[in-house]
Amino acid sequence: MKLFRSSDRVRRVALAVAVGAVVASVGVWAQNDALVGVNYDDGIYAWLARSLADGDGYRITYTPSDVPGIKYPPIYPVSLVPFWKLARTPESAYRAMKIANGLYIGLAAGLFVFMLAELGILAAPVAVIITLLGFVSGSMMLATAGLLSEPLYLVLLFAALLAADRMPPGARVSRLAAVALLAGLVALTRMVGLTLILAVLVGLWWRCGRKSVMVSAAVLAVVIAPWLIFTLTSAHEIPELLVPRYGSYVQLYLSGVAGAPAAALSVAATNVGAILQTLGSKLAPRLGMVGQGVAGVSLLVFAVLGARAAFKTAPASATYPWLYLLVISTWSFPPFRFVFILFPLLLAFAAVGLPKMADWLAGLAERSPHAWVAARSRWLRLAVLTAAALLALDLGYREVRSVSRRPWDGAELTKSEVTHELIEWVGQNTATDDVIAYELDPMLALHAGRKTIPNNYEPLHGWYRRDAPPVEPLARMFRESGVDYVAVRSGIVAAMQPIDALMGEYPEALQLIHITPGGVIVLQVDQAALAVERRGGDR
C-alpha cells in the first residue's frame, strides 16, 4: 500500500512538472518589449529593488519627498534585487526579471495541479484540465507579462495551502513554524495575502486543534510584525496629497471613503457586480451583462458546494477564496486583476461541486411522482455533466485563442511607445533636477532619470468617482513638489480631465511647449502663477 501511494505521488509530481513546463513556456513567451513601468506598479517594484540594491533603503527615491515604500510589501522587490546586482545593464536586468515572472507562473501552475491531486480535491487528470484552463488564459498572462507580483504570490500561496492542508494532527512545532513562515511570506508579497493567513489558521484549527493555531500565530506575528511596524511608523512621511498614490492601503482606503459610508457601499456594490460579470464573461461571454452575471453567480454556487465538500480534507484551501472575495469586494480597487488570479481555484471547486449538484438534481427526479421524470434521472445527471464538459471545451478554445492573439500587447506596447517619445524629449530638454508630473511617473523616473510625481490627485480611484476630481489639491501638490513640467497623454479622458480643470482655474500657470508624435502634451509650470489665488478668490 505504501509503495502504491509512493508511486501515485511520483505520477502526481510528473504531471505537475509537465503542466508547469507548459505554462512556464507560455509565461516566458508572453513577455514583450514594453518598458518596465507600463503597468505602474511594475515600475515601483523595479525602483524599490534598485533602491535596495543601491543601499538607499526601502524608499521610492524618485519623488521630491523621497517617500518610504509602505504601500508595496517587500518580498517581490527583494526577489528582484539579485537581477540589479548581477546584470550588466538595466535593460538586461529588466529582461531577466520578466523571464523570471514567466517561470514563476509555470511554477505556480505546477504547484496548483499537484495540490489539487495531492489533497484529493480532484482526480489528477481533471486537475490537469482545470489547471490548464485556469492558467493558459489571456487574463492570467495579462497579470504575468510584466513585473507584477501575482506570479510569485501564487507560487507562495499554493505552497502554503498545500503545507497547511497536509498538516497532521500533533505536528511538530518546526513544521507548524514552517507553514506559518510560508503564510507570512504570502502576506508580505501582496497584502491581500492576509486572507491566506486567516485561512491557514482556520485549517490548522480544524486539523490540529487550538494549540497549533497559537504556535502558528506566534510565528506569524514575528514574521509580519516588522513590516507592519515599518508601515505604521513611516506613514507620517507620506505627504498628505501623495497618500492616495503612495500611502499604505489603509491610508488609501480611508482617504477615499472615510466619513462617507455611502461611498464605501457604492464601492462594494460596484465591485460585487464587476466580480460576477468578470467570472461570467469567462464562462459565457455571449450572454450579455445580465447573462454573465447569472453565469458568475452559478460558478460561485458550484464553487461553494465544492469547497464545502473539500473542507474536511483541505480546510485552508476551501476557506481561502471566500475570505479573498470578501476583501476584494469591499476594497477601493477595480477587482479585475484580483479575480483573474483567483479563477483557477474557483474553477477547481466548481468542478467538485458540479457533480454534486447533478446528483442532487437526479435525486429530485428519482423522487418525482411522475414516472417519466423518475425514469430519466440518470439522463438528467448525464446532461448536466455533458453541458459542463462542452462549456469547458468552449472555455479552453477561447482561452487558447486569446493567448495566441496576445491581447495584453496592444495597450502595453502603445503606452510604452508613447512614453518612450516623452522620455527622449525629457532627456534632451530638461535639467536633471527638474520635477515632472506624469500619470506613469514610475516609468518616466526609471528611464529618464528625473524626479517625478503623478499628474493627478484622486482620493478615490477614478473607476468609482462620480464627479470631477478637485482642482485645488492638485495645484497644491504641484506647488509643494516644485513641479517644473506636466506631461499628459492626449485623448485619455481620465488623464486630461484634471489638467483641463487646473488650466481653467489657473490659466497662466501651465504653458504648452511641446507635443510628442504620439500625442503626449508637455506643459511648463509657472510656479508664480500657480501661487496666485484661484478665480473667484477661493483657495
Side-chain angles (χ1 to χ4, degrees):
M1 187 68 175
K2 185 176 181 181
L3 180 63
F4 174 76
R5 288 177 180 173
S6 176
S7 175
D8 238 16
R9 181 166 293 174
V10 168
R11 274 197 296 272
R12 289 194 287 269
V13 170
L15 284 174
V17 170
V19 170
V22 170
V23 176
S25 299
V26 177
V28 172
W29 169 81
Q31 304 304 316
N32 55 37
D33 293 328
L35 294 175
V36 172
V38 74
N39 292 300
Y40 201 88
D41 285 357
D42 59 329
I44 295 183
Y45 285 134
W47 190 278
L48 287 170
R50 191 172 88 172
S51 293
L52 290 171
D54 292 343
D56 295 329
Y58 201 70
R59 305 187 71 83
I60 302 173
T61 54
Y62 63 72
T63 68
S65 306
D66 185 16
V67 299
I70 62 174
K71 184 180 175 183
Y72 297 87
I75 295 300
Y76 186 60
V78 167
S79 76
L80 300 179
V81 170
F83 297 102
W84 283 113
K85 292 284 191 181
L86 299 175
R88 294 182 178 180
T89 65
E91 289 70 25
S92 60
Y94 297 145
R95 183 60 185 165
M97 291 174 191
K98 288 187 174 187
I99 291 174
N101 245 26
L103 297 176
Y104 284 150
I105 202 64
L107 180 55
L111 278 170
F112 184 64
V113 71
F114 181 77
M115 180 188 83
L116 294 177
E118 180 75 2
L119 297 178
I121 296 174
L122 289 171
V126 181
V128 169
I129 294 170
I130 293 297
T131 301
L132 291 175
L133 287 175
F135 281 84
V136 184
S137 71
S139 55
M140 186 64 81
M141 290 304 114
L142 182 66
T144 302
L147 299 187
L148 296 173
S149 61
E150 278 88 342
L152 181 58
Y153 173 83
L154 290 176
V155 171
L156 296 171
L157 170 72
F158 298 139
L161 288 174
L162 177 62
D165 283 336
R166 288 180 59 197
M167 189 68 63
R172 291 178 298 177
V173 170
S174 59
R175 189 163 177 177
L176 292 169
V179 170
L181 174 61
L182 265 176
L185 292 178
V186 173
L188 293 177
T189 304
R190 296 185 65 83
M191 288 308 294
V192 73
L194 289 172
T195 57
L196 180 274
I197 288 178
L198 294 177
V200 164
L201 293 179
V202 168
L204 293 178
W205 185 298
W206 178 264
R207 295 181 66 85
C208 307
R210 183 172 59 183
K211 184 178 178 180
S212 67
V213 173
M214 295 174 64
V215 171
S216 299
V219 175
L220 279 164
V222 172
V223 173
I224 67 175
W227 171 253
L228 296 178
I229 292 171
F230 170 71
T231 300
L232 292 172
T233 57
S234 303
H236 70 278
E237 297 183 44
I238 310 293
E240 176 190 356
L241 294 169
L242 294 182
V243 162
R245 195 57 63 97
Y246 302 118
S248 69
Y249 283 104
V250 173
Q251 286 178 303
L252 175 58
Y253 184 76
L254 293 177
S255 72
V257 302
L265 290 174
S266 176
V267 166
T270 302
N271 280 356
V272 169
I275 289 169
L276 293 177
Q277 190 178 350
T278 300
L279 293 173
S281 65
K282 297 277 287 184
L283 298 175
R286 304 173 187 88
L287 294 184
M289 291 182 63
V290 175
Q292 289 168 10
V294 172
V297 170
S298 301
L299 175 66
L300 292 181
V301 169
F302 294 141
V304 167
L305 292 174
R308 182 182 177 185
F311 184 85
K312 290 182 179 180
T313 56
S317 300
T319 302
Y320 166 74
W322 316 111
L323 296 174
Y324 181 95
L325 280 172
L326 178 64
V327 170
I328 68 170
S329 295
T330 56
W331 207 247
S332 54
F333 290 94
F336 306 110
R337 252 173 59 195
F338 298 89
V339 177
F340 294 158
I341 65 172
L342 185 65
F343 184 70
L345 193 55
L346 290 176
L347 200 60
F349 283 128
V352 176
L354 185 66
K356 297 187 178 301
M357 177 64 78
D359 289 342
W360 180 74
L361 291 173
L364 284 180
E366 287 178 358
R367 294 190 293 273
S368 171
H370 304 287
W372 68 272
V373 175
R376 290 165 175 77
S377 60
R378 291 184 180 180
W379 288 104
L380 177 61
R381 185 180 190 278
L382 181 62
V384 171
L385 296 180
T386 301
L390 293 174
L391 193 64
L393 286 172
D394 179 61
L395 175 63
Y397 170 75
R398 285 186 288 103
E399 292 291 18
V400 170
R401 190 179 182 190
S402 173
V403 169
S404 68
R405 292 179 173 181
R406 299 178 64 96
W408 56 90
D409 276 353
E412 289 190 358
L413 292 176
T414 298
K415 282 195 292 184
S416 178
E417 182 180 351
V418 166
T419 302
H420 185 264
E421 295 172 352
L422 174 64
I423 290 166
E424 290 187 335
W425 184 90
V426 166
Q428 297 169 5
N429 296 276
T430 66
T432 55
D433 58 349
D434 283 339
V435 178
I436 303 164
Y438 184 51
E439 63 257 34
L440 298 173
D441 45 309
M443 181 158 66
L444 187 59
L446 270 176
H447 303 286
R450 300 294 190 270
K451 293 285 186 180
T452 62
I453 66 165
N455 65 4
N456 56 72
Y457 172 75
E458 291 186 344
L460 187 65
H461 193 283
W463 203 58
Y464 306 101
R465 203 179 57 237
R466 299 292 182 265
D467 52 7
V471 171
E472 182 54 24
L474 179 61
R476 186 156 63 91
M477 186 171 78
F478 285 177
R479 289 196 296 266
E480 294 178 359
S481 299
V483 172
D484 298 289
Y485 299 92
V486 175
V488 60
R489 290 181 295 156
S490 62
I492 309 296
V493 175
M496 291 290 298
Q497 187 182 43
I499 303 303
D500 287 342
L502 182 66
M503 293 180 71
E505 296 290 347
Y506 296 88
E508 305 298 326
L510 301 179
Q511 300 298 324
L512 175 65
I513 59 172
H514 182 68
I515 300 178
T516 70
V520 178
I521 298 170
V522 182
L523 306 161
Q524 190 165 22
V525 179
D526 184 336
Q527 285 288 345
L530 198 62
V532 303
E533 290 192 357
R534 291 168 51 184
R535 288 182 174 177
D538 179 14
R539 292 296 297 275

